[in-house]
């Protein structure tokens, strides 16, 4: 017997951010978040009770209706839920399991790719920092560059490093990010390209 999960939305699209930017991926956005970022663009996700419950098996079946090879579990904060059953099912169905997380809740699930996007409002746990495949820092103001370096020093040496402008500040922050990356070439630029090409 598997436990159902609250799902805000699920859809097949292109990953718009980070290492898998531009790749086709099936997104499952779970409800529930206790991080409270002031600039959050999915505040509707915060209350898990507002979202319908889906059995893990029916979610996997939805993904398998598409030719998707990669599934991205996002939120909300997806690690507020135990994701062992979901990721086991997805992997048994031959799917790649990626997660986008703030790392602020206990790690569960079996992951092919962990995108850690830490937030100042509830900092990540060491157990998640230690297994990050990708570190994605949202740049909202100038002080976020030094905050980014704090986490770059903690993630594994193989971890990919991305700086991404916060959407409402993109006009001011993107030129600063470009200059920062030129001076610190271990970082790469991540843009929310799905917002430019108008896909979810
Ligand atoms: S962690 Fe994500 S979903 Fe939660 S408040 Fe921050 S931006 Fe929003």
């Amino acid at each position: 017997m598997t436990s159902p999960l609250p799902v805000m939305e699920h859809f097949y699209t292109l990953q718009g951010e980070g290492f898998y930017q531009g790749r086709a991926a099936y997104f499952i956005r779970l409800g529930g978040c206790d991080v409270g970022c002031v600039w959050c663009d999915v505040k509707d996700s915060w209350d898990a009770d507002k979202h319908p419950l889906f059995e893990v098996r029916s979610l996997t079946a939805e993904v398998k209706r598409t030719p998707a090879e990669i599934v991205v579990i996002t939120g909300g904060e997806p690690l507020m839920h135990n994701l062992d059953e979901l990721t086991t099912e997805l992997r048994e169905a031959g799917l790649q399991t990626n997660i986008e997380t703030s790392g602020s809740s206990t790690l569960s699930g079996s992951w092919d790719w962990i995108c850690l996007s830490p937030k100042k409002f509830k900092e990540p746990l060491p157990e998640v920092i230690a297994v990050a495949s990708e570190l994605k820092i949202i740049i909202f103001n100038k002080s976020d560059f030094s905050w980014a370096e704090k986490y770059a020093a903690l993630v594994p040496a193989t971890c990919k490093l991305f700086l991404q402008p916060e959407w409402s500040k993109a006009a001011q922050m993107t030129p600063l990010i470009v200059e920062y990356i030129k001076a610190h070439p271990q970082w790469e630029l991540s843009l929310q390209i799905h917002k430019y090409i108008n896909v979810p």
Side-chain angles (χ1 to χ4, degrees), residues 3-198:
S3 317
L5 293 164
V7 176
M8 178 177 169
E9 55 183 351
H10 59 101
F11 48 89
Y12 187 40
T13 186
L14 300 193
Q15 167 62 286
E17 307 180 0
F19 186 75
Y20 282 91
Q21 179 174 288
R23 297 281 304 276
Y26 200 100
F27 276 71
I28 299 174
R29 186 183 303 286
L30 298 178
C33 186
D34 62 355
V35 178
C37 305
V38 289
W39 42 260
C40 177
D41 60 358
V42 282
K43 289 191 168 114
D44 274 352
S45 71
W46 290 8
D47 182 357
D49 294 338
K50 278 174 44 182
H51 304 291
L53 294 172
F54 278 67
E55 295 293 342
V56 161
R57 207 152 280 170
S58 68
L59 269 176
T60 307
E62 291 291 333
V63 180
K64 292 302 281 183
R65 280 185 220 277
T66 73
E69 296 174 350
I70 299 168
V71 180
V72 179
I73 310 300
T74 187
E77 173 41 67
L79 288 178
M80 289 188 71
H81 310 281
N82 185 299
L83 300 175
D84 292 341
E85 290 167 350
L86 176 62
T87 50
T88 298
E89 281 272 339
L90 293 171
R91 279 185 155 182
E92 282 176 0
L95 295 158
Q96 177 175 331
T97 56
N98 292 13
I99 186 170
E100 308 217 345
T101 177
S102 68
S104 57
S105 293
T106 309
L107 186 65
S108 61
S110 315
W111 301 104
D112 295 304
W113 193 261
I114 296 177
C115 174
L116 171 65
S117 186
K119 305 294 186 315
K120 287 180 177 164
F121 310 93
K122 190 175 178 204
E123 297 215 4
L125 301 175
E127 69 190 63
V128 187
I129 296 171
V131 293
S133 319
E134 167 183 358
L135 176 68
K136 185 173 68 188
I137 302 288
I138 310 303
I139 301 294
F140 185 75
N141 59 44
K142 282 184 193 169
S143 69
D144 292 334
F145 291 108
S146 58
W147 196 74
E149 295 295 352
K150 168 181 150 180
Y151 286 104
L154 298 175
V155 293
T158 53
C159 186
K160 303 285 181 188
L161 305 178
F162 288 94
L163 298 173
Q164 177 175 301
E166 193 278 320
W167 181 248
S168 70
K169 293 286 211 71
Q172 298 111 289
M173 289 301 134
T174 304
L176 301 183
I177 295 173
V178 169
E179 289 310 310
Y180 192 87
I181 293 173
K182 284 161 69 181
H184 306 85
Q186 66 274 31
W187 291 95
E188 295 178 48
L189 176 65
S190 172
L191 296 173
Q192 294 180 294
I193 60 162
H194 54 293
K195 295 189 178 178
Y196 293 94
I197 61 175
N198 251 336

